[in-house]
Amino acid sequence: MKVQNPHDKFFRETMGNVPTAKEFLHHYLPKNILQVIDLDTIEVQKDSFINKEFKDYFSDLVFRVVISGKEGYISFLFEHKSYPDKAIAIQLLKYMAEIWETKMKKEEVNELPIVIPLVVYHGESKWRFPLHLGGFLNGFEEMPQHVKEYLPNFHYLLYDLSDYSDEEIKGNAQLRIMLKLLRDVATKSTEEFLRSFYEASHALLEIEDKQKGIEFFEITLRYVFNAVRDLTKKDMEQIVRQIETTFPEGSEVAMTLADILREEGMQEGLEKGIKEGLEKGRQEGASQALAKTALNQLTEKFGALPEHLKENIRQADLATLENILQNIFKYQSLDEVKKFLKH
């Protein structure tokens, strides 16, 4: 059964791991920001600050960390749409305000923490919008500095994965695999994407803790199976064969997961068939009941009905039968009924 937002799930399960998040920050934060952050203090926060109406477009991860000796936050906003949102800076402003409001209400703080916003994007088209809120304000750049002081503005860090080459993708095995697959899933054909998956899977051998390696492999494989909509049984079998070569420890997981997903797909098809069958049965039952009522009403009004007319009424659909019953007292002769049935 396909996961509704496989990109969201893959991102959260991978980046929600603190060592992997630290790897991302270490390799991708600008040096001047990294200098004021104590990565050894990073803690993942359970709260999500995405409003309900935006959950189909964004997922978020928040990490508490010491910034310049004080409590602060680094927020990851992952945009899993296929195209960039021009209002991202507005969404980020709302998002940061949610964090601050939560701090004020729950902890009654007097000073608000620093929040550094990061946006990770993996859509099909390039990011083409300003990287600061002021860029969305009409005439902001032309305003003198003393006026800008009264206007809200902040910058956000953008990571458009389509811009990264294989050489530019850095970090531990989990991070490199995630970034590469998220980069390629929206822009490559199924065959090309699977090739990227096979190449990326070699990095699993770098994970010293084999159990953790197998667990992350299962997360990755579930993502591949759910993110690629047109995978065939042949593709799944090819994946299993390839994994037996590149990551033998995960071959049993691959075979088991492929069998489970195939069975789930069959079960989903069976459930759909049963549902459609029941609906058809309800429709047919309703049609039979209305046809019987229509026949009784017409017989009462016009007397015995010709056999061919009876048969036509029995074969009529629900909408036609409902229309006949609604207009039955308007008909002056059976010819009017016959004429309506021909339509």
Side-chain angles (χ1 to χ4, degrees):
M1 187 172 176
K2 293 289 183 182
V3 175
Q4 190 168 8
N5 270 317
H7 314 301
D8 164 82
K9 185 175 176 62
F10 188 39
F11 178 81
R12 292 181 66 83
E13 288 184 338
T14 305
M15 290 296 291
N17 176 268
V18 168
T20 302
K22 287 175 67 174
E23 284 282 304
F24 184 97
L25 297 174
H26 172 73
H27 287 285
Y28 294 107
L29 276 183
K31 289 183 179 179
N32 58 349
I33 296 180
L34 196 56
Q35 287 173 353
V36 300
I37 293 176
D38 185 353
L39 289 182
D40 291 331
T41 63
I42 189 171
E43 297 177 10
V44 65
Q45 303 296 288
K46 294 181 179 180
D47 290 336
S48 172
F49 298 95
I50 294 291
N51 291 332
K52 290 181 180 179
E53 63 266 32
F54 299 125
K55 283 190 179 292
D56 288 339
Y57 309 110
F58 305 107
S59 56
D60 66 323
L61 280 171
V62 182
F63 296 91
R64 184 168 60 189
V65 65
V66 172
I67 301 176
S68 293
K70 298 180 180 179
E71 180 191 45
Y73 291 86
I74 294 176
S75 66
F76 282 87
L77 200 63
F78 173 54
E79 184 167 4
H80 44 76
K81 296 200 304 276
S82 60
Y83 57 90
D85 189 334
K86 65 181 180 180
I88 186 70
I90 305 297
Q91 305 308 331
L92 283 170
L93 182 61
K94 292 179 180 178
Y95 181 79
M96 290 188 288
E98 288 277 352
I99 295 176
W100 290 325
E101 188 174 4
T102 299
K103 295 292 291 184
M104 291 174 68
K105 287 182 177 179
K106 288 186 177 180
E107 301 179 26
E108 299 181 354
V109 297
N110 294 320
E111 294 181 331
L112 297 176
I114 296 294
V115 179
I116 299 176
L118 285 65
V119 175
V120 180
Y121 168 70
H122 82 131
E124 298 172 16
S125 55
K126 295 285 187 180
W127 194 271
R128 58 187 184 279
F129 300 118
L131 301 184
H132 64 295
L133 178 60
F136 293 89
L137 303 179
N138 189 18
F140 178 84
E141 300 298 346
E142 291 75 36
M143 289 290 170
Q145 187 58 39
H146 67 273
V147 176
K148 286 183 179 179
E149 291 176 1
Y150 296 95
L151 303 175
N153 190 29
F154 67 90
H155 287 70
Y156 61 92
L157 292 161
L158 173 73
Y159 301 91
D160 183 344
L161 299 184
S162 65
D163 289 335
Y164 289 80
S165 65
D166 285 351
E167 293 71 29
E168 291 172 318
I169 291 179
K170 301 174 182 179
N172 63 14
Q174 294 94 320
L175 180 61
R176 298 198 325 268
I177 290 171
M178 182 199 74
L179 293 178
K180 187 170 185 177
L181 295 186
L182 287 176
R183 179 197 66 183
D184 293 345
V185 70
T187 58
K188 293 192 174 183
S189 66
T190 298
E191 184 179 350
E192 291 172 329
F193 177 72
L194 289 180
R195 194 154 48 242
S196 290
F197 166 63
Y198 299 145
E199 292 172 359
S201 64
H202 283 87
L204 291 165
L205 297 171
E206 301 172 19
I207 303 175
E208 294 182 2
D209 187 326
K210 292 305 177 186
Q211 184 57 39
K212 287 185 178 179
I214 291 171
E215 289 171 0
F216 182 70
F217 170 67
E218 182 173 349
I219 290 171
T220 303
L221 195 57
R222 282 188 178 276
Y223 173 66
V224 171
F225 284 159
N226 283 292
V228 183
R229 297 291 173 179
D230 57 350
L231 274 184
T232 64
K233 179 180 178 181
K234 185 177 179 181
D235 291 328
M236 288 187 174
E237 291 171 349
Q238 173 62 30
I239 289 172
V240 172
R241 287 195 297 271
Q242 186 68 35
I243 291 303
E244 287 176 341
T245 303
T246 58
F247 186 59
E249 292 88 345
S251 59
E252 185 176 345
V253 172
M255 287 187 288
T256 302
L257 191 55
D259 288 340
I260 290 172
L261 291 174
R262 275 199 297 269
E263 189 172 323
E264 284 180 355
M266 292 172 61
Q267 181 65 26
E268 188 177 9
L270 179 61
E271 289 174 356
K272 183 179 179 183
I274 291 172
K275 184 177 179 180
E276 290 176 350
L278 288 171
E279 181 61 29
K280 185 178 179 182
R282 282 193 290 269
Q283 292 283 331
E284 289 178 352
S287 295
Q288 290 174 3
L290 288 182
K292 185 175 181 180
T293 301
L295 288 171
N296 290 338
Q297 294 284 348
L298 289 170
T299 300
E300 186 176 334
K301 183 170 183 177
F302 298 110
L305 305 177
E307 284 301 319
H308 71 277
L309 180 59
K310 290 181 182 179
E311 189 59 29
N312 287 342
I313 290 173
R314 293 190 187 102
Q315 297 298 323
D317 58 32
L318 270 175
T320 300
L321 292 168
E322 287 173 352
N323 204 302
I324 288 175
L325 287 170
Q326 287 171 1
N327 294 283
I328 203 161
F329 295 108
K330 297 180 182 178
Y331 297 134
Q332 299 299 313
S333 67
L334 286 176
D335 289 336
E336 294 181 38
V337 180
K338 294 175 184 177
K339 185 178 180 181
F340 178 77
L341 284 168
K342 288 180 180 180
H343 291 297

